[in-house]
Structure formats: C-alpha cells, structure tokens
Amino acid sequence: GDSVTQMEGPVTLSEEAFLTINCTYTATGYPSLFWYVQYPGEGLQLLLKATKADDKGSNKGFEATYRKETTSFHLEKGSVQVSDSAVYFCALYNTDKLIFGTGTRLQVFP
Amino acid sequence: GAGVSQTPSNKVTEKGKYVELRCDPISGHTALYWYRQSLGQGPEFLIYFQGTGAADDSGLPNDRFFAVRPEGSVSTLKIQRTERGDSAVYLCASSLGLAGVYEQYFGPGTRLTVT
C-alpha cells in the first residue's frame, strides 16, 4: 500500500543554519504531496504542497520539490529560526485519504 | 473565524467502557475526516465523510469503532469496549471538499487514555 518515510528526529540546528528533512514515498498513480507542521501546543497546519511532478511548493521560506524520479519531497529552508521549532510531517494524498509519515521534530537553538 | 473544535480535549476511561468523541467542523465544510495519532507516529486515517455519508471507512480498525455525521455538520466518533491500545490522540479535520484539492483544517484533538 501507499506509504511515506521521513527521516527520524530530532533534528537539532543553530539559528540561521540550513535545514533539510528527507521524505520519500511509495504510491500507485500520481499522488499529491504535502508538508504539515505542528507547533508546540497547536494543531496540525498545512505548510506547503505540490500536486504534480516537478512542482515546487513554498511557504514561510520553506520549499519542497516533487521529484517523481526519486519519489521524494524533501523539505528545505535556507536559514531556520527558533520559531521554526516544531514537528514536521510529510504526507501524500491518494484515493481520498492523506497518508502521513511519522514526523520529524526540529529543534532550533539561538 | 472559528476553526475545527473537538470535545473533550482529554478523556480518561476504564478498559471496557464506551466513549464518544465530538468534532465540530468549520461551517460550510462538507468533508470531514477522523485520524488517530499514537505517540511518536503520524496521524492515521480512520474515516472520511462527504456530507452525511461515510465515503470511506476503510481505516476503522475494527467493529468497536463507529462514526456518524447525521446532519452533515457535527460528527461523533464512538468507541465501544475500549482497550488500552485505543489510547491515542484522535484528530478531526474538515475541508471544503476532497483533501487532495482543498486544504484540510485540523482540530486540536482529543487525547484518549484507557486505563
């Protein structure tokens, strides 16, 4: 069945460092891909999405490119801030449901 | 405007008891989803409603779990004969339509603990 695999955390960075969180997927057909974020004490929020191959989703300085050839959707940010500390979930949408990865906790220190 | 709300925020129950978890979606959202999130895991799909009907209930783990949405708005997730393995955060999300096209808005969740 469809599945999402993302790197285990926690990822610990200093402020202004470059961030990459890896995500790969297995799916039949052509799923849409998403990154969701969960800030401490808050609910899940959509961060960005891409609906077809080579699309780039971007929001709040984060980017991810839908790579069909490598079945990947890695999340990147050029310069993280303390306020980016959260849990990040990669997800795919296929046949009417979202399938999530296990989440990666990001901790950014000043 | 108001977001998705879920009640109660926390529920502690004894093994074998019956529980009901409530979700109030954003007004006008026709699609409603239930997920279960165990500790250290991502949300796991349970059931999807389009209007009043369950369009996909393939994620419900067994027949102890049941969900309704009688008027196409509020939804209730019902768990019979609770087991310790049912302990998790139960999330509700709503959207204007299918999740692949329209953004899903998540509620804060109900943390269920079965003792």
Side-chain angles (χ1 to χ4, degrees), chain B residues 5-12 19-23 90 108-112:
Chain B
S5 62
Q6 293 186 244
T7 53
S9 55
N10 280 284
K11 177 70 176 179
V12 180
V19 296
E20 290 189 351
L21 311 179
R22 176 187 169 108
C23 172
Y90 288 82
T110 293
R111 182 176 299 278
L112 175 66

PDB file of all heavy atoms in Angstrom, chain B residues 5-12 19-23 90 108-112:
ATOM      1  N   SER B   5     -13.316  22.446  16.125  1.00  0.00           N
ATOM      2  CA  SER B   5     -13.220  22.227  17.563  1.00  0.00           C
ATOM      3  C   SER B   5     -13.546  20.776  17.892  1.00  0.00           C
ATOM      4  O   SER B   5     -14.337  20.130  17.187  1.00  0.00           O
ATOM      5  CB  SER B   5     -14.144  23.169  18.338  1.00  0.00           C
ATOM      6  OG  SER B   5     -15.489  22.937  17.992  1.00  0.00           O
ATOM      7  N   GLN B   6     -12.920  20.283  18.955  1.00  0.00           N
ATOM      8  CA  GLN B   6     -13.125  18.902  19.378  1.00  0.00           C
ATOM      9  C   GLN B   6     -13.329  18.873  20.880  1.00  0.00           C
ATOM     10  O   GLN B   6     -12.662  19.580  21.627  1.00  0.00           O
ATOM     11  CB  GLN B   6     -11.905  18.047  19.016  1.00  0.00           C
ATOM     12  CG  GLN B   6     -11.705  17.875  17.521  1.00  0.00           C
ATOM     13  CD  GLN B   6     -10.580  16.908  17.207  1.00  0.00           C
ATOM     14  OE1 GLN B   6      -9.566  17.290  16.627  1.00  0.00           O
ATOM     15  NE2 GLN B   6     -10.776  15.645  17.573  1.00  0.00           N
ATOM     16  N   THR B   7     -14.279  18.060  21.291  1.00  0.00           N
ATOM     17  CA  THR B   7     -14.530  17.901  22.712  1.00  0.00           C
ATOM     18  C   THR B   7     -14.718  16.432  23.055  1.00  0.00           C
ATOM     19  O   THR B   7     -15.244  15.664  22.235  1.00  0.00           O
ATOM     20  CB  THR B   7     -15.798  18.673  23.139  1.00  0.00           C
ATOM     21  OG1 THR B   7     -16.890  18.292  22.302  1.00  0.00           O
ATOM     22  CG2 THR B   7     -15.564  20.170  23.063  1.00  0.00           C
ATOM     23  N   PRO B   8     -14.293  16.016  24.265  1.00  0.00           N
ATOM     24  CA  PRO B   8     -13.472  16.789  25.192  1.00  0.00           C
ATOM     25  C   PRO B   8     -12.041  16.899  24.708  1.00  0.00           C
ATOM     26  O   PRO B   8     -11.656  16.213  23.768  1.00  0.00           O
ATOM     27  CB  PRO B   8     -13.559  15.947  26.471  1.00  0.00           C
ATOM     28  CG  PRO B   8     -13.680  14.538  25.959  1.00  0.00           C
ATOM     29  CD  PRO B   8     -14.517  14.633  24.716  1.00  0.00           C
ATOM     30  N   SER B   9     -11.249  17.714  25.358  1.00  0.00           N
ATOM     31  CA  SER B   9      -9.842  17.799  24.980  1.00  0.00           C
ATOM     32  C   SER B   9      -9.069  16.606  25.542  1.00  0.00           C
ATOM     33  O   SER B   9      -8.093  16.158  24.943  1.00  0.00           O
ATOM     34  CB  SER B   9      -9.220  19.109  25.467  1.00  0.00           C
ATOM     35  OG  SER B   9      -9.411  19.257  26.853  1.00  0.00           O
ATOM     36  N   ASN B  10      -9.516  16.123  26.688  1.00  0.00           N
ATOM     37  CA  ASN B  10      -8.917  14.958  27.310  1.00  0.00           C
ATOM     38  C   ASN B  10     -10.019  14.046  27.823  1.00  0.00           C
ATOM     39  O   ASN B  10     -11.034  14.531  28.335  1.00  0.00           O
ATOM     40  CB  ASN B  10      -8.026  15.353  28.497  1.00  0.00           C
ATOM     41  CG  ASN B  10      -6.667  15.840  28.056  1.00  0.00           C
ATOM     42  OD1 ASN B  10      -5.811  15.068  27.690  1.00  0.00           O
ATOM     43  ND2 ASN B  10      -6.501  17.143  28.082  1.00  0.00           N
ATOM     44  N   LYS B  11      -9.806  12.748  27.679  1.00  0.00           N
ATOM     45  CA  LYS B  11     -10.775  11.786  28.177  1.00  0.00           C
ATOM     46  C   LYS B  11     -10.016  10.601  28.753  1.00  0.00           C
ATOM     47  O   LYS B  11      -9.199   9.975  28.067  1.00  0.00           O
ATOM     48  CB  LYS B  11     -11.691  11.321  27.055  1.00  0.00           C
ATOM     49  CG  LYS B  11     -12.695  10.248  27.455  1.00  0.00           C
ATOM     50  CD  LYS B  11     -13.758  10.767  28.375  1.00  0.00           C
ATOM     51  CE  LYS B  11     -14.797   9.692  28.685  1.00  0.00           C
ATOM     52  NZ  LYS B  11     -15.844  10.202  29.627  1.00  0.00           N
ATOM     53  N   VAL B  12     -10.265  10.323  30.023  1.00  0.00           N
ATOM     54  CA  VAL B  12      -9.697   9.140  30.664  1.00  0.00           C
ATOM     55  C   VAL B  12     -10.842   8.188  30.962  1.00  0.00           C
ATOM     56  O   VAL B  12     -11.849   8.586  31.545  1.00  0.00           O
ATOM     57  CB  VAL B  12      -8.956   9.501  31.970  1.00  0.00           C
ATOM     58  CG1 VAL B  12      -8.375   8.240  32.594  1.00  0.00           C
ATOM     59  CG2 VAL B  12      -7.861  10.516  31.701  1.00  0.00           C
ATOM     60  N   VAL B  19     -16.978   5.265  24.850  1.00  0.00           N
ATOM     61  CA  VAL B  19     -16.676   6.701  24.795  1.00  0.00           C
ATOM     62  C   VAL B  19     -17.186   7.294  23.495  1.00  0.00           C
ATOM     63  O   VAL B  19     -17.298   6.613  22.473  1.00  0.00           O
ATOM     64  CB  VAL B  19     -15.163   6.988  24.936  1.00  0.00           C
ATOM     65  CG1 VAL B  19     -14.643   6.564  26.281  1.00  0.00           C
ATOM     66  CG2 VAL B  19     -14.376   6.377  23.801  1.00  0.00           C
ATOM     67  N   GLU B  20     -17.484   8.585  23.556  1.00  0.00           N
ATOM     68  CA  GLU B  20     -17.870   9.353  22.380  1.00  0.00           C
ATOM     69  C   GLU B  20     -16.985  10.577  22.289  1.00  0.00           C
ATOM     70  O   GLU B  20     -16.795  11.291  23.275  1.00  0.00           O
ATOM     71  CB  GLU B  20     -19.338   9.797  22.464  1.00  0.00           C
ATOM     72  CG  GLU B  20     -20.331   8.686  22.320  1.00  0.00           C
ATOM     73  CD  GLU B  20     -21.757   9.213  22.194  1.00  0.00           C
ATOM     74  OE1 GLU B  20     -21.974  10.422  22.384  1.00  0.00           O
ATOM     75  OE2 GLU B  20     -22.652   8.393  21.896  1.00  0.00           O
ATOM     76  N   LEU B  21     -16.469  10.831  21.106  1.00  0.00           N
ATOM     77  CA  LEU B  21     -15.626  11.991  20.850  1.00  0.00           C
ATOM     78  C   LEU B  21     -16.334  12.845  19.791  1.00  0.00           C
ATOM     79  O   LEU B  21     -16.778  12.329  18.774  1.00  0.00           O
ATOM     80  CB  LEU B  21     -14.248  11.550  20.343  1.00  0.00           C
ATOM     81  CG  LEU B  21     -13.548  10.449  21.153  1.00  0.00           C
ATOM     82  CD1 LEU B  21     -12.206  10.113  20.520  1.00  0.00           C
ATOM     83  CD2 LEU B  21     -13.376  10.832  22.601  1.00  0.00           C
ATOM     84  N   ARG B  22     -16.358  14.142  20.044  1.00  0.00           N
ATOM     85  CA  ARG B  22     -17.143  15.033  19.187  1.00  0.00           C
ATOM     86  C   ARG B  22     -16.245  15.944  18.369  1.00  0.00           C
ATOM     87  O   ARG B  22     -15.219  16.419  18.850  1.00  0.00           O
ATOM     88  CB  ARG B  22     -18.095  15.870  20.047  1.00  0.00           C
ATOM     89  CG  ARG B  22     -18.915  16.902  19.298  1.00  0.00           C
ATOM     90  CD  ARG B  22     -19.696  17.783  20.258  1.00  0.00           C
ATOM     91  NE  ARG B  22     -20.274  18.929  19.593  1.00  0.00           N
ATOM     92  CZ  ARG B  22     -21.575  19.073  19.335  1.00  0.00           C
ATOM     93  NH1 ARG B  22     -22.431  18.123  19.694  1.00  0.00           N
ATOM     94  NH2 ARG B  22     -22.020  20.150  18.729  1.00  0.00           N
ATOM     95  N   CYS B  23     -16.683  16.215  17.138  1.00  0.00           N
ATOM     96  CA  CYS B  23     -15.969  17.137  16.259  1.00  0.00           C
ATOM     97  C   CYS B  23     -16.953  18.138  15.672  1.00  0.00           C
ATOM     98  O   CYS B  23     -17.962  17.741  15.077  1.00  0.00           O
ATOM     99  CB  CYS B  23     -15.282  16.384  15.129  1.00  0.00           C
ATOM    100  SG  CYS B  23     -14.560  17.450  13.861  1.00  0.00           S
ATOM    101  N   TYR B  90      -7.030  11.590  19.064  1.00  0.00           N
ATOM    102  CA  TYR B  90      -7.958  11.458  17.944  1.00  0.00           C
ATOM    103  C   TYR B  90      -8.159  12.844  17.338  1.00  0.00           C
ATOM    104  O   TYR B  90      -8.602  13.768  18.004  1.00  0.00           O
ATOM    105  CB  TYR B  90      -9.266  10.832  18.405  1.00  0.00           C
ATOM    106  CG  TYR B  90      -9.080   9.366  18.723  1.00  0.00           C
ATOM    107  CD1 TYR B  90      -8.560   8.969  19.954  1.00  0.00           C
ATOM    108  CD2 TYR B  90      -9.362   8.385  17.780  1.00  0.00           C
ATOM    109  CE1 TYR B  90      -8.325   7.634  20.239  1.00  0.00           C
ATOM    110  CE2 TYR B  90      -9.147   7.041  18.055  1.00  0.00           C
ATOM    111  CZ  TYR B  90      -8.623   6.683  19.284  1.00  0.00           C
ATOM    112  OH  TYR B  90      -8.395   5.354  19.559  1.00  0.00           O
ATOM    113  N   PRO B 108      -7.726  20.521  17.457  1.00  0.00           N
ATOM    114  CA  PRO B 108      -6.648  20.325  18.419  1.00  0.00           C
ATOM    115  C   PRO B 108      -6.540  18.892  18.918  1.00  0.00           C
ATOM    116  O   PRO B 108      -5.544  18.533  19.542  1.00  0.00           O
ATOM    117  CB  PRO B 108      -7.020  21.272  19.564  1.00  0.00           C
ATOM    118  CG  PRO B 108      -8.512  21.368  19.470  1.00  0.00           C
ATOM    119  CD  PRO B 108      -8.847  21.286  18.010  1.00  0.00           C
ATOM    120  N   GLY B 109      -7.565  18.083  18.645  1.00  0.00           N
ATOM    121  CA  GLY B 109      -7.516  16.686  19.042  1.00  0.00           C
ATOM    122  C   GLY B 109      -8.142  16.409  20.399  1.00  0.00           C
ATOM    123  O   GLY B 109      -8.291  17.310  21.236  1.00  0.00           O
ATOM    124  N   THR B 110      -8.522  15.150  20.591  1.00  0.00           N
ATOM    125  CA  THR B 110      -8.947  14.641  21.886  1.00  0.00           C
ATOM    126  C   THR B 110      -7.955  13.567  22.298  1.00  0.00           C
ATOM    127  O   THR B 110      -7.739  12.598  21.557  1.00  0.00           O
ATOM    128  CB  THR B 110     -10.351  14.011  21.828  1.00  0.00           C
ATOM    129  OG1 THR B 110     -11.319  15.019  21.559  1.00  0.00           O
ATOM    130  CG2 THR B 110     -10.677  13.315  23.145  1.00  0.00           C
ATOM    131  N   ARG B 111      -7.348  13.775  23.465  1.00  0.00           N
ATOM    132  CA  ARG B 111      -6.404  12.771  23.976  1.00  0.00           C
ATOM    133  C   ARG B 111      -7.188  11.749  24.785  1.00  0.00           C
ATOM    134  O   ARG B 111      -7.763  12.079  25.826  1.00  0.00           O
ATOM    135  CB  ARG B 111      -5.325  13.419  24.840  1.00  0.00           C
ATOM    136  CG  ARG B 111      -4.282  12.416  25.359  1.00  0.00           C
ATOM    137  CD  ARG B 111      -3.181  13.114  26.129  1.00  0.00           C
ATOM    138  NE  ARG B 111      -2.458  14.058  25.290  1.00  0.00           N
ATOM    139  CZ  ARG B 111      -1.485  13.746  24.452  1.00  0.00           C
ATOM    140  NH1 ARG B 111      -1.090  12.478  24.361  1.00  0.00           N
ATOM    141  NH2 ARG B 111      -0.870  14.668  23.738  1.00  0.00           N
ATOM    142  N   LEU B 112      -7.237  10.525  24.292  1.00  0.00           N
ATOM    143  CA  LEU B 112      -7.956   9.445  24.973  1.00  0.00           C
ATOM    144  C   LEU B 112      -6.955   8.548  25.683  1.00  0.00           C
ATOM    145  O   LEU B 112      -5.996   8.074  25.074  1.00  0.00           O
ATOM    146  CB  LEU B 112      -8.758   8.612  23.966  1.00  0.00           C
ATOM    147  CG  LEU B 112      -9.463   7.374  24.533  1.00  0.00           C
ATOM    148  CD1 LEU B 112     -10.561   7.788  25.506  1.00  0.00           C
ATOM    149  CD2 LEU B 112     -10.027   6.518  23.417  1.00  0.00           C
TER     150      LEU B 112
END
